[in-house]
Each structure stands twice: as structure tokens, then as C-alpha cells.
Amino acid sequence: RPKLNLIKEPFLPRRSDPQIFNEVHEVVPSIHKPTLRLGFCGNILDEMPGGQALTYPAAVALAKETMGTDKAIMDELKQLPYHISWHFGFTGSARGELDAAKDLFNHTSADVNWPPLHFLIGCTSDRVSLHAAALAKAKGAIQIAPYAFTSRLSHRENFPFVFRTSPTSRDYAEGIVAMMRYFGWTDL
């Protein structure tokens, strides 16, 4: 089970390798609210099919700006029972994305300036998501994988704390085959 020890600790900003944008933003916690530590990693240069730029960093920025305020998109996010500590690791390359994910996870609880994450949201490639899932298991953190298509992450015994928000590539293939059978198509 993930260790969700929501302790109240202030954070100091941290900067790492200049090629990795790494930011910590902490709203000063009140006495009555615990802190939820969220990490986000991704490769900002990834592109969606058709050449559209990946909008993941923009969605995260919107969430950071509005969660816990009256500007939140959903009423449930306007008043939160906890404060959020935002940790970012967006990079310009796939290799940098892996380094950013490791950097987000590889801090000890003894480092009061950077306690361990509760959740990692990302990464944008299957390869990095697999590595991050192994780290999440070792650290007892939950990983939400919005861009992972590999079916390997579906093996609960290997990756018990991974939750995907997209279907696997096998699910896509089975859907295409089912649609072709339904319409009686024999080729694409």
C-alpha cells in the first residue's frame, strides 16, 4: 500500500540540472490542513498525432493556478481539505524526462526541503513510465500514467500503484478489429 503520511512541512525551492526544469511551489499550509505532494514529469517536445503540440504542461499549469480557489473548473476542486505541494520535471528530451522522473522520486524523507512524493502524474513515454512505475513501487507512491500505452503496466503484481488513464495499444488494436468485423471490412 502507498504510504500517505500527509505531514505539514514547508518546502524550499529547489533547482537541479539546467536542462531539467524543476520547480517546487508550496502554498504555506495552515495548521489544520495536511500537505499532498504531487509530482509531474513529461517531455514538453512530444507531439500528438497530426503534429499537434502536447498540451499536458498547459493543463498542469491550469490546475496549479485554479485548484483550491474559486476559479477551479469543478466545484469539488474549489475547497480542498489539504494543501498541494507542486513538483515539476518537464524537459525537452526523452532522456531528460527519465532524469526528471528519477529526480522527483530520489529524495529521502530525511531531506526536509524535499519530502517524498505521494503521487507522480506522468510520464509521456512508455519507456519512462515503466521506469517511473518501478520507482513508484519502491517508494510506495502512486503513479497516474496518462500517456502510457504499454500493456506491461497492467500487471498489478509488478506495478501495484500504477493507474492508467488511457487504453493500452492492444486495446486500440482490438477495437479496430472489432469495428472492421462489425462493418464487414477485410482491409484498411
Side-chain angles (χ1 to χ4, degrees):
R1 292 191 158 211
K3 299 172 203 148
L4 295 178
N5 182 13
L6 299 176
I7 56 176
K8 299 174 204 111
E9 294 183 31
F11 289 85
L12 299 175
R14 175 181 166 83
R15 301 279 180 215
S16 65
D17 183 313
Q19 295 176 335
I20 298 174
F21 173 69
N22 198 357
E23 177 188 330
V24 176
H25 173 74
E26 175 70 23
V27 176
V28 178
S30 70
I31 294 173
H32 304 327
K33 288 186 177 183
T35 298
L36 180 65
R37 292 180 295 280
L38 302 178
F40 298 87
C41 74
N43 176 359
I44 60 174
L45 298 181
D46 282 349
E47 289 188 357
M48 304 282 276
Q52 296 174 332
L54 185 65
T55 59
Y56 174 58
V60 173
L62 177 65
K64 179 183 168 192
E65 181 69 27
T66 63
M67 283 180 65
T69 71
D70 288 336
K71 297 185 288 183
I73 295 170
M74 296 175 15
D75 287 338
E76 296 84 1
L77 299 176
K78 289 183 179 178
Q79 293 193 17
L80 302 174
Y82 45 81
H83 290 284
I84 299 175
S85 173
W86 301 83
H87 303 259
F88 299 98
F90 291 110
T91 69
S93 69
R95 175 70 181 148
E97 181 183 18
L98 179 56
D99 291 339
K102 288 178 182 178
D103 189 47
L104 287 168
F105 270 126
N106 287 331
H107 294 278
T108 66
S109 58
D111 184 355
V112 296
N113 297 324
W114 193 296
L117 295 177
H118 295 118
F119 290 88
L120 176 69
I121 302 172
C123 301
T124 57
S125 76
D126 281 347
R127 182 180 66 85
V128 176
S129 292
L130 284 166
H131 286 287
L135 282 169
K137 180 180 178 181
K139 302 289 185 174
I142 294 171
Q143 179 188 8
I144 299 172
Y147 298 103
F149 296 102
T150 179
S151 59
R152 291 173 54 191
L153 287 175
S154 299
H155 301 285
R156 289 318 234 178
E157 62 279 354
N158 296 333
F159 305 111
F161 306 135
V162 174
F163 298 91
R164 67 172 70 248
T165 59
S166 61
T168 66
S169 52
R170 180 180 178 97
D171 293 334
Y172 275 119
E174 288 175 355
I176 290 171
V177 169
M179 184 176 67
M180 290 178 70
R181 286 183 179 150
Y182 178 81
F183 287 109
W185 298 340
T186 58
D187 59 327
L188 291 176

